[in-house]
Amino acid sequence: MTQAARKTKSTEDGPKRPAKELVYDYVRGKILNGEWRGGDFIEEKIVSDAVGVSRTPVREALHRLQSDHYISLTPGVARWCGKLRHRN
């Protein structure tokens, strides 16, 4: 099995999507619907369990969310903490 194949996950309504995209959509959705707010912490373990993926795609998605100005990352001892921001 190739590395790319291991990092994808089947969705009920379509072809396989990369795990980091599933995580990105999950976290972005929590931010946009107001469930997570500025100053809340995003714990990798909780997100990985909720989406059903390992922590590596969670880290990748969090870095993309930071690039897209949804969160601000600060390295922690056992997690990355995000201070959520509203994107214009």
Side-chain angles (χ1 to χ4, degrees):
M1 182 180 291
T2 67
Q3 184 176 6
R6 285 191 301 257
K7 289 189 172 185
T8 60
K9 189 169 172 94
S10 295
T11 59
E12 292 179 18
D13 53 5
K16 292 183 177 187
R17 295 180 56 212
K20 65 184 176 184
E21 286 183 20
L22 296 173
V23 174
Y24 179 91
D25 290 345
Y26 173 81
V27 174
R28 184 175 172 269
K30 296 281 188 185
I31 294 167
L32 294 178
N33 75 19
E35 195 169 332
W36 292 350
R37 299 173 188 220
D40 288 348
F41 291 105
I42 301 171
E43 295 189 44
E44 290 177 6
K45 177 75 170 127
I46 291 172
V47 174
S48 68
D49 289 347
V51 181
V53 299
S54 71
R55 292 171 82 169
T56 299
V58 173
R59 289 184 197 108
E60 292 170 346
L62 293 179
H63 284 288
R64 181 175 163 206
L65 287 156
Q66 179 181 35
S67 294
D68 291 346
H69 305 286
Y70 284 103
I71 64 172
S72 175
L73 296 176
T74 305
V77 175
R79 65 182 181 201
W80 289 80
C81 301
K83 183 175 183 182
L84 309 182
R85 300 180 183 167
H86 291 286
R87 184 174 179 198
N88 296 336

